[in-house]
Amino acid sequence: MSVPLKTGQQLVPIAKFRPSMRGFDCEVIVLETALPTTTRDGQTIHTFLVADRTGSIMMNIWGNDGKFIRNGDIIRIENAESKLFKGFLQLTTARFGKIKRVGEDTMLFKDHPNFSELQWVTEEESLAMAAPEDGHH
């Protein structure tokens, strides 16, 4: 049940995701599903552990789209975003993103490294960590 790519469409592998990347397409398999959570303003967030051949990442889907996703689903996301949440990278859909189920259970993947377990720091934080604590050189 493979769905062909659109002409010129490129899929970005998880290992290439960076904080604040927007408007890219990717294809992942769903490994685990967490219970949905509800924000203070009543929005539902569905959270999944997803993977491709380069690693895994946590994916958040806002609203009703997430309730139809199951473990083993292979989904293609168009107009995806990768964002930092509390210093950890996550995959989500942009406001006009599309999620499409393109298969199930038959995708090569690696669950490690999990890119949502790696802490990202800003350049300023990195420099501050490298600076001597007492201010002397």
Side-chain angles (χ1 to χ4, degrees):
M1 180 175 138
S2 181
V3 176
L5 295 175
K6 294 175 185 169
T7 305
Q9 185 177 28
Q10 302 249 324
L11 299 177
V12 177
I14 291 172
K16 301 268 188 211
F17 293 1
R18 295 294 176 263
S20 302
M21 265 177 70
R22 286 195 168 120
F24 62 91
D25 300 342
C26 61
E27 194 167 286
V28 296
I29 186 167
V30 178
L31 303 182
E32 294 176 21
T33 305
L35 289 173
T37 55
T38 305
T39 63
R40 281 189 216 120
D41 60 355
Q43 295 228 35
T44 303
I45 306 169
H46 297 267
T47 303
F48 307 90
L49 177 66
V50 298
D52 68 8
R53 59 188 164 71
T54 65
S56 62
I57 194 167
M58 298 305 294
M59 176 180 75
N60 289 325
I61 303 297
W62 292 70
N64 288 330
D65 288 345
K67 68 181 174 186
F68 302 107
I69 298 173
R70 304 278 176 257
N71 290 353
D73 282 355
I74 299 167
I75 54 176
R76 185 173 301 157
I77 302 169
E78 295 180 9
N79 204 17
E81 292 184 11
S82 54
K83 296 180 171 181
L84 288 182
F85 179 70
K86 297 184 179 176
F88 297 95
L89 197 62
Q90 296 185 341
L91 172 65
T92 188
T93 54
R95 184 181 210 162
F96 302 107
K98 287 187 196 161
I99 302 169
K100 181 185 228 171
R101 186 171 176 271
V102 294
E104 63 181 318
D105 298 328
T106 54
M107 180 177 175
L108 288 174
F109 69 88
K110 289 177 21 181
D111 56 359
H112 281 85
N114 180 336
F115 290 94
S116 289
E117 292 177 345
L118 304 175
Q119 179 106 36
W120 289 76
V121 294
T122 64
E123 200 170 330
E124 294 80 29
E125 289 169 328
S126 177
L127 292 171
M129 287 187 282
E133 290 181 28
D134 62 3
H136 293 83
H137 294 287

